Short mmCIF file of all heavy atoms in Angstrom, two decimals:
data_model
loop_
_atom_site.label_atom_id
_atom_site.label_comp_id
_atom_site.label_asym_id
_atom_site.label_seq_id
_atom_site.Cartn_x
_atom_site.Cartn_y
_atom_site.Cartn_z
N THR R 1 223.04 124.48 -25.65
CA THR R 1 224.47 124.30 -25.93
C THR R 1 224.68 123.56 -27.25
O THR R 1 223.84 122.77 -27.67
CB THR R 1 225.14 123.49 -24.80
OG1 THR R 1 224.50 122.22 -24.69
CG2 THR R 1 225.02 124.24 -23.49
N THR R 2 225.81 123.80 -27.89
CA THR R 2 226.16 123.13 -29.15
C THR R 2 227.57 122.58 -29.04
O THR R 2 228.49 123.34 -28.75
CB THR R 2 226.06 124.10 -30.34
OG1 THR R 2 224.73 124.62 -30.40
CG2 THR R 2 226.35 123.40 -31.65
N PRO R 3 227.80 121.28 -29.27
CA PRO R 3 226.76 120.29 -29.53
C PRO R 3 226.04 119.89 -28.23
O PRO R 3 226.64 119.93 -27.16
CB PRO R 3 227.55 119.11 -30.09
CG PRO R 3 228.89 119.23 -29.44
CD PRO R 3 229.14 120.69 -29.30
N PHE R 4 224.78 119.52 -28.37
CA PHE R 4 224.01 119.08 -27.21
C PHE R 4 224.19 117.59 -27.03
O PHE R 4 224.00 116.80 -27.96
CB PHE R 4 222.53 119.42 -27.43
CG PHE R 4 221.63 118.97 -26.31
CD1 PHE R 4 221.71 119.56 -25.06
CD2 PHE R 4 220.70 117.96 -26.51
CE1 PHE R 4 220.90 119.16 -24.02
CE2 PHE R 4 219.87 117.55 -25.49
CZ PHE R 4 219.96 118.16 -24.24
N GLN R 5 224.61 117.16 -25.83
CA GLN R 5 224.86 115.76 -25.58
C GLN R 5 224.17 115.34 -24.27
O GLN R 5 224.14 116.11 -23.31
CB GLN R 5 226.37 115.50 -25.45
CG GLN R 5 227.17 115.82 -26.70
CD GLN R 5 226.86 114.89 -27.85
OE1 GLN R 5 226.42 113.76 -27.64
NE2 GLN R 5 227.09 115.35 -29.06
N VAL R 6 223.64 114.12 -24.28
CA VAL R 6 223.06 113.53 -23.06
C VAL R 6 223.72 112.16 -22.85
O VAL R 6 224.35 111.62 -23.77
CB VAL R 6 221.53 113.38 -23.18
CG1 VAL R 6 220.86 114.73 -23.29
CG2 VAL R 6 221.15 112.48 -24.35
N PRO R 7 223.57 111.58 -21.68
CA PRO R 7 224.18 110.26 -21.43
C PRO R 7 223.66 109.19 -22.39
O PRO R 7 222.52 109.23 -22.86
CB PRO R 7 223.74 109.94 -19.99
CG PRO R 7 223.52 111.29 -19.37
CD PRO R 7 222.97 112.15 -20.46
N ARG R 8 224.51 108.25 -22.66
CA ARG R 8 224.18 107.16 -23.57
C ARG R 8 223.15 106.22 -22.94
O ARG R 8 223.15 105.98 -21.74
CB ARG R 8 225.44 106.36 -23.91
CG ARG R 8 225.32 105.42 -25.08
CD ARG R 8 226.60 104.64 -25.26
NE ARG R 8 226.75 103.58 -24.28
CZ ARG R 8 227.91 103.17 -23.78
NH1 ARG R 8 229.03 103.76 -24.16
NH2 ARG R 8 227.96 102.19 -22.91
N ILE R 9 222.28 105.67 -23.80
CA ILE R 9 221.31 104.65 -23.39
C ILE R 9 221.72 103.34 -24.04
O ILE R 9 221.97 103.28 -25.25
CB ILE R 9 219.88 105.04 -23.84
CG1 ILE R 9 219.46 106.34 -23.14
CG2 ILE R 9 218.89 103.91 -23.54
CD1 ILE R 9 218.22 106.96 -23.74
N ASP R 10 221.81 102.28 -23.25
CA ASP R 10 222.22 100.97 -23.75
C ASP R 10 221.06 99.99 -23.66
O ASP R 10 220.43 99.85 -22.60
CB ASP R 10 223.38 100.39 -22.94
CG ASP R 10 224.68 101.16 -23.14
OD1 ASP R 10 224.75 101.93 -24.13
OD2 ASP R 10 225.59 101.01 -22.31
N LEU R 11 220.77 99.32 -24.77
CA LEU R 11 219.84 98.19 -24.78
C LEU R 11 220.68 96.93 -24.72
O LEU R 11 221.39 96.60 -25.67
CB LEU R 11 218.98 98.21 -26.04
CG LEU R 11 218.20 99.51 -26.31
CD1 LEU R 11 217.36 99.38 -27.58
CD2 LEU R 11 217.32 99.87 -25.12
N LYS R 12 220.63 96.24 -23.58
CA LYS R 12 221.46 95.06 -23.38
C LYS R 12 220.72 93.82 -23.80
O LYS R 12 219.71 93.44 -23.21
CB LYS R 12 221.88 94.97 -21.90
CG LYS R 12 222.70 96.17 -21.46
CD LYS R 12 223.33 95.97 -20.10
CE LYS R 12 224.27 97.10 -19.75
NZ LYS R 12 224.98 96.91 -18.47
N LEU R 13 221.22 93.19 -24.86
CA LEU R 13 220.55 92.04 -25.46
C LEU R 13 221.03 90.75 -24.83
O LEU R 13 222.09 90.68 -24.19
CB LEU R 13 220.76 92.06 -26.97
CG LEU R 13 220.21 93.34 -27.62
CD1 LEU R 13 220.80 93.55 -28.99
CD2 LEU R 13 218.70 93.29 -27.68
N ALA R 14 220.25 89.67 -25.04
CA ALA R 14 220.43 88.44 -24.29
C ALA R 14 221.79 87.79 -24.52
O ALA R 14 222.32 87.13 -23.63
CB ALA R 14 219.31 87.46 -24.63
N ASP R 15 222.36 87.94 -25.70
CA ASP R 15 223.61 87.26 -26.02
C ASP R 15 224.83 88.11 -25.74
O ASP R 15 225.91 87.82 -26.23
CB ASP R 15 223.60 86.78 -27.47
CG ASP R 15 223.07 87.85 -28.41
OD1 ASP R 15 222.96 89.00 -27.98
OD2 ASP R 15 222.77 87.51 -29.56
N GLY R 16 224.67 89.19 -24.98
CA GLY R 16 225.80 89.99 -24.59
C GLY R 16 226.06 91.21 -25.46
O GLY R 16 226.89 92.05 -25.09
N THR R 17 225.40 91.32 -26.61
CA THR R 17 225.60 92.50 -27.44
C THR R 17 224.82 93.67 -26.86
O THR R 17 223.84 93.51 -26.14
CB THR R 17 225.14 92.25 -28.89
OG1 THR R 17 223.79 91.79 -28.88
CG2 THR R 17 226.02 91.21 -29.56
N ILE R 18 225.27 94.87 -27.18
CA ILE R 18 224.66 96.09 -26.64
C ILE R 18 224.38 97.04 -27.80
O ILE R 18 225.27 97.37 -28.60
CB ILE R 18 225.58 96.78 -25.62
CG1 ILE R 18 225.84 95.84 -24.43
CG2 ILE R 18 224.95 98.08 -25.13
CD1 ILE R 18 226.83 96.42 -23.42
N TRP R 19 223.14 97.48 -27.89
CA TRP R 19 222.73 98.48 -28.87
C TRP R 19 222.84 99.83 -28.17
O TRP R 19 222.05 100.16 -27.28
CB TRP R 19 221.31 98.22 -29.33
CG TRP R 19 220.87 99.03 -30.51
CD1 TRP R 19 221.45 100.16 -31.00
CD2 TRP R 19 219.73 98.78 -31.36
NE1 TRP R 19 220.76 100.64 -32.09
CE2 TRP R 19 219.71 99.81 -32.34
CE3 TRP R 19 218.76 97.80 -31.37
CZ2 TRP R 19 218.72 99.87 -33.32
CZ3 TRP R 19 217.77 97.85 -32.35
CH2 TRP R 19 217.75 98.86 -33.31
N LYS R 20 223.83 100.64 -28.57
CA LYS R 20 224.12 101.91 -27.90
C LYS R 20 223.40 103.04 -28.62
O LYS R 20 223.54 103.21 -29.83
CB LYS R 20 225.62 102.17 -27.88
CG LYS R 20 226.44 101.12 -27.14
CD LYS R 20 227.92 101.43 -27.22
CE LYS R 20 228.75 100.48 -26.37
NZ LYS R 20 228.71 99.09 -26.88
N LEU R 21 222.62 103.80 -27.86
CA LEU R 21 221.87 104.92 -28.40
C LEU R 21 222.47 106.23 -27.88
O LEU R 21 222.45 106.48 -26.67
CB LEU R 21 220.40 104.82 -28.01
CG LEU R 21 219.66 103.57 -28.49
CD1 LEU R 21 218.24 103.54 -27.93
CD2 LEU R 21 219.65 103.49 -30.01
N PHE R 22 222.98 107.03 -28.80
CA PHE R 22 223.54 108.32 -28.44
C PHE R 22 222.49 109.41 -28.69
O PHE R 22 221.37 109.14 -29.09
CB PHE R 22 224.82 108.56 -29.24
CG PHE R 22 225.93 107.62 -28.89
CD1 PHE R 22 226.02 106.37 -29.50
CD2 PHE R 22 226.89 107.96 -27.95
CE1 PHE R 22 227.04 105.49 -29.17
CE2 PHE R 22 227.91 107.09 -27.62
CZ PHE R 22 227.99 105.84 -28.22
N THR R 23 222.88 110.65 -28.49
CA THR R 23 221.92 111.77 -28.48
C THR R 23 221.07 111.82 -29.74
O THR R 23 219.85 112.06 -29.66
CB THR R 23 222.66 113.10 -28.30
OG1 THR R 23 223.45 113.04 -27.10
CG2 THR R 23 221.69 114.27 -28.20
N ALA R 24 221.66 111.63 -30.91
CA ALA R 24 220.90 111.77 -32.17
C ALA R 24 219.72 110.81 -32.22
O ALA R 24 218.69 111.12 -32.84
CB ALA R 24 221.82 111.53 -33.35
N ASN R 25 219.86 109.63 -31.60
CA ASN R 25 218.79 108.65 -31.63
C ASN R 25 217.97 108.59 -30.35
O ASN R 25 216.87 108.00 -30.34
CB ASN R 25 219.36 107.24 -31.90
CG ASN R 25 219.94 107.11 -33.29
OD1 ASN R 25 221.14 107.12 -33.48
ND2 ASN R 25 219.08 107.02 -34.29
N SER R 26 218.46 109.19 -29.28
CA SER R 26 217.71 109.14 -28.03
C SER R 26 216.89 110.39 -27.80
O SER R 26 215.92 110.38 -27.02
CB SER R 26 218.65 108.94 -26.84
OG SER R 26 219.53 110.05 -26.68
N MET R 27 217.24 111.51 -28.45
CA MET R 27 216.55 112.78 -28.27
C MET R 27 215.92 113.23 -29.59
O MET R 27 216.43 112.92 -30.65
CB MET R 27 217.51 113.85 -27.75
CG MET R 27 218.25 113.49 -26.47
SD MET R 27 217.16 113.31 -25.02
CE MET R 27 216.60 115.01 -24.79
N LYS R 28 214.83 113.98 -29.47
CA LYS R 28 214.19 114.58 -30.64
C LYS R 28 214.21 116.09 -30.47
O LYS R 28 213.68 116.63 -29.50
CB LYS R 28 212.74 114.09 -30.76
CG LYS R 28 211.92 114.78 -31.83
CD LYS R 28 212.44 114.48 -33.22
CE LYS R 28 211.52 115.11 -34.27
NZ LYS R 28 212.05 114.90 -35.65
N LYS R 29 214.84 116.77 -31.42
CA LYS R 29 214.93 118.23 -31.35
C LYS R 29 213.58 118.84 -31.71
O LYS R 29 213.04 118.58 -32.78
CB LYS R 29 216.04 118.74 -32.29
CG LYS R 29 216.45 120.17 -32.00
CD LYS R 29 217.70 120.52 -32.78
CE LYS R 29 218.22 121.90 -32.42
NZ LYS R 29 218.63 122.02 -31.03
N ILE R 30 213.03 119.64 -30.82
CA ILE R 30 211.73 120.25 -31.02
C ILE R 30 211.84 121.67 -31.53
O ILE R 30 211.04 122.14 -32.34
CB ILE R 30 210.92 120.23 -29.69
CG1 ILE R 30 210.80 118.80 -29.17
CG2 ILE R 30 209.55 120.85 -29.88
CD1 ILE R 30 210.10 117.84 -30.13
N SER R 31 212.84 122.39 -31.05
CA SER R 31 213.08 123.76 -31.48
C SER R 31 214.57 124.04 -31.32
O SER R 31 215.35 123.14 -30.97
CB SER R 31 212.25 124.74 -30.65
OG SER R 31 212.67 124.74 -29.30
N ALA R 32 214.97 125.28 -31.55
CA ALA R 32 216.39 125.61 -31.49
C ALA R 32 216.99 125.34 -30.12
O ALA R 32 218.19 125.02 -30.02
CB ALA R 32 216.58 127.09 -31.85
N ASP R 33 216.20 125.43 -29.06
CA ASP R 33 216.75 125.23 -27.72
C ASP R 33 215.99 124.23 -26.87
O ASP R 33 216.09 124.26 -25.64
CB ASP R 33 216.84 126.58 -27.00
CG ASP R 33 215.48 127.23 -26.82
OD1 ASP R 33 214.50 126.74 -27.40
OD2 ASP R 33 215.41 128.24 -26.09
N VAL R 34 215.21 123.36 -27.50
CA VAL R 34 214.47 122.33 -26.76
C VAL R 34 214.63 120.98 -27.45
O VAL R 34 214.43 120.86 -28.66
CB VAL R 34 212.96 122.66 -26.65
CG1 VAL R 34 212.18 121.51 -26.01
CG2 VAL R 34 212.76 123.94 -25.86
N SER R 35 215.00 119.96 -26.67
CA SER R 35 215.05 118.57 -27.14
C SER R 35 214.32 117.70 -26.13
O SER R 35 214.43 117.91 -24.93
CB SER R 35 216.50 118.11 -27.31
OG SER R 35 217.14 118.80 -28.37
N CYS R 36 213.60 116.71 -26.64
CA CYS R 36 212.83 115.82 -25.76
C CYS R 36 213.35 114.41 -25.87
O CYS R 36 213.81 113.97 -26.94
CB CYS R 36 211.36 115.86 -26.13
SG CYS R 36 210.57 117.48 -25.88
N LEU R 37 213.25 113.69 -24.76
CA LEU R 37 213.60 112.27 -24.75
C LEU R 37 212.64 111.53 -25.69
O LEU R 37 211.42 111.55 -25.48
CB LEU R 37 213.49 111.72 -23.33
CG LEU R 37 213.87 110.25 -23.12
CD1 LEU R 37 215.33 109.99 -23.48
CD2 LEU R 37 213.59 109.84 -21.67
N ALA R 38 213.18 110.93 -26.73
CA ALA R 38 212.35 110.37 -27.82
C ALA R 38 211.87 108.96 -27.51
O ALA R 38 212.02 108.03 -28.31
CB ALA R 38 213.13 110.40 -29.12
N PHE R 39 211.29 108.82 -26.34
CA PHE R 39 210.67 107.58 -25.91
C PHE R 39 209.27 107.91 -25.41
O PHE R 39 209.06 108.95 -24.77
CB PHE R 39 211.48 106.90 -24.80
CG PHE R 39 212.80 106.36 -25.26
CD1 PHE R 39 213.87 107.21 -25.52
CD2 PHE R 39 212.99 105.00 -25.44
CE1 PHE R 39 215.10 106.73 -25.94
CE2 PHE R 39 214.21 104.50 -25.85
CZ PHE R 39 215.26 105.36 -26.12
N VAL R 40 208.31 107.02 -25.67
CA VAL R 40 206.91 107.29 -25.39
C VAL R 40 206.36 106.30 -24.38
O VAL R 40 206.72 105.11 -24.41
CB VAL R 40 206.09 107.25 -26.70
CG1 VAL R 40 204.60 107.45 -26.44
CG2 VAL R 40 206.60 108.31 -27.68
N ASN R 41 205.49 106.78 -23.51
CA ASN R 41 204.81 105.92 -22.53
C ASN R 41 203.66 105.18 -23.21
O ASN R 41 202.70 105.82 -23.66
CB ASN R 41 204.29 106.78 -21.37
CG ASN R 41 203.76 105.94 -20.22
OD1 ASN R 41 203.45 104.76 -20.36
ND2 ASN R 41 203.66 106.55 -19.05
N GLY R 42 203.75 103.87 -23.30
CA GLY R 42 202.73 103.08 -23.97
C GLY R 42 201.54 102.72 -23.11
O GLY R 42 200.58 102.13 -23.60
N GLY R 43 201.61 103.05 -21.81
CA GLY R 43 200.49 102.75 -20.92
C GLY R 43 200.66 101.42 -20.20
O GLY R 43 201.53 100.61 -20.53
N ASP R 44 199.79 101.20 -19.21
CA ASP R 44 199.87 100.00 -18.38
C ASP R 44 199.54 98.73 -19.16
O ASP R 44 200.02 97.65 -18.82
CB ASP R 44 198.92 100.12 -17.19
CG ASP R 44 199.33 101.24 -16.25
OD1 ASP R 44 200.54 101.53 -16.18
OD2 ASP R 44 198.45 101.81 -15.59
N THR R 45 198.69 98.84 -20.18
CA THR R 45 198.24 97.65 -20.92
C THR R 45 198.83 97.62 -22.32
O THR R 45 198.21 97.11 -23.24
CB THR R 45 196.71 97.63 -20.98
OG1 THR R 45 196.25 98.82 -21.64
CG2 THR R 45 196.11 97.54 -19.60
N ALA R 46 200.02 98.17 -22.49
CA ALA R 46 200.66 98.18 -23.80
C ALA R 46 200.78 96.76 -24.34
O ALA R 46 201.06 95.81 -23.61
CB ALA R 46 202.04 98.83 -23.71
#
C-alpha cells in the first residue's frame, strides 16, 4: 500500500520527553512491496 504506515514507536525518556519514531525511521524498505522492522536482536549478552 502507498503510503505504507505502521504504528508509532515511542522511546520514553526519564524526564518525561518522548522520542517518537514513525514509519520512515522504524521500518526499512527492502523492495517495492517489502519493509522490515529496522531493529536488530543484539543477543542475550549484548
Side-chain angles (χ1 to χ4, degrees):
T1 59
T2 302
F4 178 67
Q5 299 292 336
V6 296
R8 194 183 77 213
I9 297 167
D10 292 343
L11 305 181
K12 298 191 174 184
L13 300 162
D15 44 13
T17 54
I18 299 176
W19 190 344
K20 299 178 175 67
L21 300 175
F22 294 85
T23 305
N25 293 104
S26 64
M27 304 295 292
K28 173 66 176 176
K29 196 170 185 63
I30 303 300
S31 65
D33 61 351
V34 174
S35 292
C36 296
L37 182 61
F39 291 75
V40 176
N41 188 341
D44 295 332
T45 59

